[in-house]
Amino acid sequence: MSNTTYTNDVIKSWDELHRDSRSLAQLLLSKKEWKGIIAVTRGGMIPAAIVARELNIRLIDTLCISCYDEQHIGELRVLKDTMLDTDGDGYLVIDDLVDTGTTLRSVRERLPASHIATLYVKPAGKELVDTSVYEFTQETWLRFPWDLELGYSTPLVNRN
């Protein structure tokens, strides 16, 4: 369990996520010719789809790992391993974020030769990532658009 106190909230919109995923694809474009993508579920699925489109990659698999319970980091559970028989050589592993590094340490053990790419990185997991777009402090909690609902906001003058 993480002892991090999250003192900063950052909300990512669909537009920002799309832009950042395309930026990640741009960074990966000249690295090598990729055999395929392994998306870390669930957060890596949408960035992986965008990167796959931008790099014209058709082979996409998933590595289903859970270590979050709402906003708390808990015990790591591998729900489904990749279906590919590989050490990861020539494959991109894509996730939305590396926070503590718990998930990506497990990915590195399973796919040591893979290239791990994330949209966002925090210091505790930075050494596990080969390519990323933006860095945040460890105390920042990122809120992704798939976790949010739009709703009515009461005007300030009417709040108690």
Side-chain angles (χ1 to χ4, degrees):
M1 192 75 148
S2 172
N3 292 330
T4 301
T5 301
Y6 296 101
T7 56
N8 188 21
D9 247 358
V10 172
I11 297 172
K12 287 297 189 178
S13 70
W14 286 110
D15 287 343
E16 289 173 307
L17 189 81
H18 188 253
R19 180 202 64 214
D20 296 344
S21 296
R22 290 189 74 207
S23 293
L24 183 61
Q26 184 66 48
L27 293 170
L28 296 166
L29 185 61
S30 62
K31 296 242 183 248
K32 69 188 314 181
E33 191 167 319
W34 305 105
K35 294 177 184 175
I37 290 176
I38 300 167
V40 179
T41 69
R42 290 179 309 223
M45 292 177 70
I46 292 170
I50 295 167
V51 170
R53 183 216 181 253
E54 296 300 328
L55 300 182
N56 196 30
I57 296 172
R58 301 277 178 177
L59 177 61
I60 303 172
D61 194 5
T62 57
L63 181 54
C64 305
I65 298 178
S66 172
C67 70
Y68 281 92
D69 177 15
E70 295 182 21
Q71 288 189 358
H72 305 291
I73 298 170
E75 182 181 333
L76 179 99
R77 295 179 310 158
V78 176
L79 306 172
K80 182 196 91 56
D81 215 329
T82 177
M83 303 294 280
L84 301 169
D85 183 21
T86 181
D87 66 353
D89 186 40
Y91 285 89
L92 276 171
V93 172
I94 297 183
D95 205 352
D96 56 353
L97 163 74
V98 59
D99 190 332
T100 63
T102 302
T103 301
L104 290 187
R105 273 187 199 81
S106 178
V107 170
R108 273 281 180 229
E109 289 171 10
R110 287 171 163 67
L111 303 163
S114 66
H115 185 96
I116 296 178
T118 63
L119 298 179
Y120 314 116
V121 65
K122 293 184 185 180
K126 187 175 182 175
E127 79 281 355
L128 298 164
V129 177
D130 299 305
T131 303
S132 64
V133 180
Y134 290 110
E135 186 171 345
F136 289 92
T137 66
Q138 203 63 44
E139 299 77 27
T140 300
W141 184 262
L142 287 145
R143 297 187 184 274
F144 292 98
W146 50 81
D147 291 327
L148 305 173
E149 293 179 343
L150 294 178
Y152 178 76
S153 177
T154 304
L156 293 174
V157 71
N158 295 336
R159 295 182 190 180
N160 292 332

